[in-house]
Amino acid sequence: MAYGIQIDGVNLDNSSLSVVAKGSLSSAGTTTLTKSNYSGITEFKVVFIATGVRDTSTGELRPTATVGSTTITITQPSSGTPHQYLVLGR
């Protein structure tokens, strides 16, 4: 995997994607971003990065993201491990 980054199953070798938003997820909840706040951006991708010490003997429950027509919804499940998120766009 190139540079250790993969988005939607595709290795990120080079790209014109830029970080348009970032944040941390440590407890259960939902974060909603409005796409119209990012003028000129037509394509969005969300990347999750696990943080902290993790137990590798158990499966990791990761956050999920849904990119809709007007919003981006990021959901951290109640038993999810701490993650940072990056919203990339072009």
Side-chain angles (χ1 to χ4, degrees):
M1 180 185 317
Y3 306 108
I5 299 174
Q6 192 177 74
I7 301 173
D8 294 336
V10 177
N11 291 340
L12 185 62
D13 295 324
N14 54 43
S15 176
S16 61
L17 293 169
S18 299
V19 175
V20 295
K22 64 181 181 173
S24 297
L25 304 167
S26 58
S27 59
T30 301
T31 301
T32 303
L33 304 171
T34 305
K35 291 168 102 176
S36 62
N37 290 338
Y38 306 98
S39 62
I41 309 265
T42 58
E43 181 182 345
F44 294 87
K45 301 283 185 183
V46 181
V47 178
F48 296 106
I49 304 158
T51 57
V53 177
R54 296 173 289 157
D55 182 357
T56 58
S57 68
T58 62
E60 182 176 63
L61 187 55
R62 298 179 63 88
T64 59
T66 304
V67 179
S69 60
T70 59
T71 61
I72 301 166
T73 304
I74 300 168
T75 304
Q76 171 72 320
S78 60
S79 55
T81 56
H83 281 74
Q84 290 184 332
Y85 66 85
L86 297 175
V87 178
L88 307 176
R90 67 168 143 210

